[in-house]
Amino acid sequence: GNVITLKAPPGFVSYVWNDGTASRELSVSQPGLYYCTVRDLCGLYYTDSIQVFDAGTFELVIGDNRTVCLNDTMHLTAEPGFSNYRWGPDYNLITNVTARILIAKPTSDTVYYVRAEKTRGCVFYDTVRVSVKQAPQFTIGPDQIICPEDSLVLLSSMLFSAYQWSTGERTPQITVRNSGRYVLTGLLPEGCRVADTVII
């Protein structure tokens, strides 16, 4: 779909391309054999030709749309075999590890794109929609004081796909009898993890 300009050298009296164009330059958008006949000041004619090839069909891919959790870092990798990779938009980009790899930390839904060239002027694009899951707020209760020989039940205020307490237990609730710092990490169905801490 792109157009290239063929240029005959300057300094001649006349120029005629194979399609009849009488100009030093010819814009072409199709593959094929093109030639130009020129005439110099002495009336001598010269002809040269150039073959324009079809670059072929290529696909630039950076993957499927994805979902990430808030505060997650994500990597996008474009296919090799292209040049002049450019990523956008410039929203919460951490770095380009290489021209092909982008690291970002989006905090809201974003569409990232990559632009690259296969051959000079043949530009390809791909996009990926990133949905950011906001972790819900939950609690296992306020910090508390208990007396010796007493116990306390710590319970998550919401349901999770999986539970992981700092004590090693994997249940929605635990019973504690000692002072200390207790952390519950919950796994949400889409894979996000959230945590809360209570000090006894």
Side-chain angles (χ1 to χ4, degrees), residues 52-155:
V52 176
F53 296 96
D54 188 341
T57 302
F58 301 94
E59 189 174 9
L60 176 63
V61 177
I62 55 176
D64 297 329
N65 294 338
R66 61 172 67 178
T67 299
V68 298
C69 302
L70 185 66
N71 297 322
D72 278 358
T73 299
M74 58 162 229
H75 292 67
L76 294 175
T77 304
E79 279 187 81
F82 293 82
S83 62
N84 300 323
Y85 293 89
R86 281 194 289 174
W87 294 89
D90 291 333
Y91 168 68
N92 283 8
L93 303 184
I94 295 175
T95 183
N96 284 19
V97 175
T98 69
R100 290 182 41 236
I101 300 174
L102 173 79
I103 301 177
K105 192 174 184 178
T107 56
S108 63
D109 294 356
T110 307
V111 176
Y112 289 98
Y113 69 85
V114 64
R115 173 198 182 278
E117 289 182 320
K118 187 63 179 180
T119 59
R120 190 178 60 159
C122 289
V123 179
F124 295 84
Y125 295 87
D126 194 22
T127 60
V128 62
R129 178 177 298 279
V130 179
S131 299
V132 179
K133 293 294 181 185
Q134 305 289 334
Q137 297 296 316
F138 85 103
T139 182
I140 53 176
D143 295 346
Q144 296 193 42
I145 297 174
I146 59 172
C147 299
E149 308 301 324
D150 283 352
S151 65
L152 180 67
V153 174
L154 299 179
L155 173 66

